[in-house]
Amino acid sequence: DVQLQASGGGLVQPGGALRLSCAASGFTLTSYTISWFRQAPGKEREWVSTIRNSGSGSATYYADSVKGRFTISRDNAKNTAYLQMNSLRPEDTAIYYCARGRPPLGSITNGGLYYDWGQGTQVTVSS
């Protein structure tokens, strides 16, 4: 069975850091585009970041709101993707989800094109 297991969320003060993990099973991570999305209470789901194959390596993409603060990566040996989140702000508070799919590059922000989703991990940034 295909599974995505998101973890690593928690409560952190503004300016702090967290690293989210997305452990994949039932498929090879590098065969798919992996993205992180988030949803805050009362708001629509928002695309955060994507890692996808590009040539012999990978390419990464970020929402403007997190660019320079968040870093997406993957460990092929562990079949796990990560989202390193630094300089966290209260507005980063949300449930974070990882997803796998094969959307065209121009549609990586479209959550409807992803096949499977993790269960979500709560990130709360508050003093």
Side-chain angles (χ1 to χ4, degrees):
D1 288 351
V2 169
Q3 284 193 344
L4 293 166
Q5 183 73 33
S7 62
L11 173 63
V12 64
Q13 292 187 341
L18 284 173
R19 188 178 78 157
L20 306 185
S21 298
C22 177
S25 59
F27 69 98
T28 301
L29 198 74
T30 53
S31 297
Y32 292 86
T33 291
I34 301 296
S35 293
W36 288 93
F37 291 78
R38 67 186 181 186
Q39 187 164 22
K43 294 188 176 182
E44 293 188 352
R45 184 176 59 198
E46 175 189 22
W47 170 76
V48 175
S49 182
T50 292
I51 186 165
R52 67 196 300 269
N53 289 331
S54 178
S56 59
S58 62
T60 58
Y61 305 88
Y62 301 93
D64 287 345
S65 59
V66 307
K67 199 172 294 182
R69 300 188 298 123
F70 290 12
T71 303
I72 191 170
S73 63
R74 63 190 183 190
D75 184 326
N76 299 343
K78 295 182 178 179
N79 214 34
T80 299
Y82 302 97
L83 186 68
Q84 177 68 44
M85 306 186 297
N86 298 330
S87 302
L88 282 162
R89 305 167 180 168
E91 54 265 37
D92 295 318
T93 295
I95 300 174
Y96 284 70
Y97 300 88
C98 56
R100 73 150 188 163
R102 290 187 173 135
L105 179 57
S107 299
I108 58 174
T109 63
N110 184 347
L113 297 180
Y114 288 81
Y115 306 145
D116 301 283
W117 294 77
Q119 84 286 6
T121 185
Q122 175 71 48
V123 171
T124 303
V125 184
S126 175
S127 55

